[in-house]
Amino acid sequence: MSTMTAMQPEPHLALIVEDDPDVRALAAVLLEETPLNVVEVESAEAALDCLQERGGEVAMMFADVRLPGETDGVQLARAACTLWPTVRVVLTSGDPGAGLADLPECVTFMPKPWRGLDVLVQADKAIRDPQPPVT
């Protein structure tokens, strides 16, 4: 891999991290209406694998707080903000007390049930106004 920034791929992926297949499918259908290509995974571990392989291509990560496995959505968001600071991270939860007091600043929180328009607004921001790289 080259370290030249000119060689970095353009961010064009939306990564959906949701263990409920119906909710994941709904988010995917919404995000497929945007210019972003959609990648769906059901755990934070799978999301981290995807980010390690294709982090430079990910414009937006839309993740549930509660996920199966060792890592929850908040931990995933922290890792993403630290290791892939250009990714727009949107966390969602239906649990009002889901440990959201200590979310990183780079995270946008969207309570469930979320509205499709709100998801599309975040995708538009990810495309038009990407998070600046940390300098």
Side-chain angles (χ1 to χ4, degrees):
M1 243 193 228
S2 172
T3 55
M4 293 175 55
T5 53
M7 302 298 285
Q8 290 292 325
E10 283 294 309
H12 64 270
L13 290 180
L15 177 59
I16 301 170
V17 192
E18 169 65 64
D19 61 322
D20 181 322
D22 294 334
V23 175
R24 191 170 63 239
L26 177 60
V29 165
L30 276 167
L31 290 169
E32 284 165 358
E33 296 299 315
T34 73
L36 298 172
N37 294 323
V38 176
V39 176
E40 301 174 48
V41 297
E42 59 186 38
S43 71
E45 289 77 14
L48 289 168
D49 288 345
C50 179
L51 285 165
Q52 284 171 342
E53 286 177 29
R54 303 177 72 182
E57 299 171 59
V58 177
M60 173 183 176
M61 181 174 72
F62 186 67
D64 194 5
V65 169
R66 297 197 179 208
L67 295 167
E70 297 292 312
T71 308
D72 68 16
V74 175
Q75 293 164 313
L76 172 62
R78 278 200 199 100
C81 290
T82 302
L83 300 171
W84 298 278
T86 59
V87 174
R88 179 169 293 276
V89 179
V90 180
L91 272 185
T92 181
S93 177
D95 179 359
L100 305 173
D102 55 349
L103 279 184
E105 274 186 39
C106 67
V107 175
T108 300
F109 180 73
M110 192 179 298
K112 283 183 180 176
W114 35 261
R115 296 180 323 168
L117 180 62
D118 294 334
V119 177
L120 293 173
V121 164
Q122 290 303 317
D124 188 59
K125 285 182 180 178
I127 295 163
R128 293 177 192 274
D129 184 25
Q131 304 278 53
V134 175
T135 53

